[in-house]
Amino acid sequence: RCHKRFVDISVAVIGDLLFGRTVHSLIKILSLYDHVIIYGLSSPNFALPVEYIDYIKMRGATYIACDDFSDIPSNVDVLYNTRTQLERFTESDLAPREYIINKKVMEYFSEDTMLIHPLPRNNEISTDVDDDKRALYFKQAHNGMYIRMALLYDTLAGDLKEE
């Protein structure tokens, strides 16, 4: 199941938007396409850094900060959830508000909304969502293995192909 388009796509990035490298990479790639709307849902201490918001705007995409799941349109194309990067800080004043996706939250979103996550997860996605047909994070992780294999092969064996 794939949208097969990157134009006119809406993506909600949820969770640790401050330290999440995968979120930062996703935002940069999405910003290369036309008519992209990115919704950001995080606690204030883990909000998307201004440099990424500026990048999104510079590329002509739209960024909308959200305070709750209800601020995200129910027909959003993709929910991209990420875990809080607890290992990246030691300050106790950065206690995050966790936005947990469970069956009740998923009821709000369209049957066409995809849920992805870079894994591993902590508590940000309840296990009761694992059997939802929109939950694609296990497939995402499985396919990621093949992508990494291909990249490694191309990087390590690329010179051998030319001989």
Side-chain angles (χ1 to χ4, degrees), residues 38-62:
I38 301 169
Y39 298 90
L41 177 60
S42 68
S43 60
N45 290 336
F46 289 84
L48 189 64
V50 173
E51 67 187 87
Y52 291 97
I53 296 171
D54 290 345
Y55 183 86
I56 291 166
K57 291 177 181 175
M58 177 191 74
R59 299 292 309 177
T62 302

Side-chain angles (χ1 to χ4, degrees), residues 33-130:
Y33 297 93
D34 293 331
H35 310 289
V36 172
I37 301 174
I38 301 169
Y39 298 90
L41 177 60
S42 68
S43 60
N45 290 336
F46 289 84
L48 189 64
V50 173
E51 67 187 87
Y52 291 97
I53 296 171
D54 290 345
Y55 183 86
I56 291 166
K57 291 177 181 175
M58 177 191 74
R59 299 292 309 177
T62 302
Y63 181 75
I64 300 170
C66 302
D67 295 318
D68 194 75
F69 286 112
S70 62
D71 295 336
I72 302 168
S74 61
N75 66 341
V76 69
D77 293 308
V78 178
L79 296 172
Y80 184 87
N81 200 353
T82 185
R83 70 183 177 86
T84 301
Q85 306 285 310
L86 296 173
E87 65 276 8
R88 296 197 181 261
F89 64 91
T90 57
E91 299 174 34
S92 61
D93 62 333
L94 287 179
R97 173 181 172 202
E98 293 289 344
Y99 292 91
I100 298 170
I101 295 179
N102 55 29
K103 281 190 183 231
K104 181 152 179 67
V105 168
M106 289 303 292
E107 287 174 5
Y108 169 75
F109 293 102
S110 161
E111 287 299 312
D112 294 323
T113 298
M114 295 187 292
L115 173 60
I116 58 178
H117 188 292
L119 298 178
R121 66 178 162 190
N122 290 330
N123 299 316
E124 63 279 358
I125 298 178
S126 175
T127 57
D128 70 358
V129 177
D130 290 349

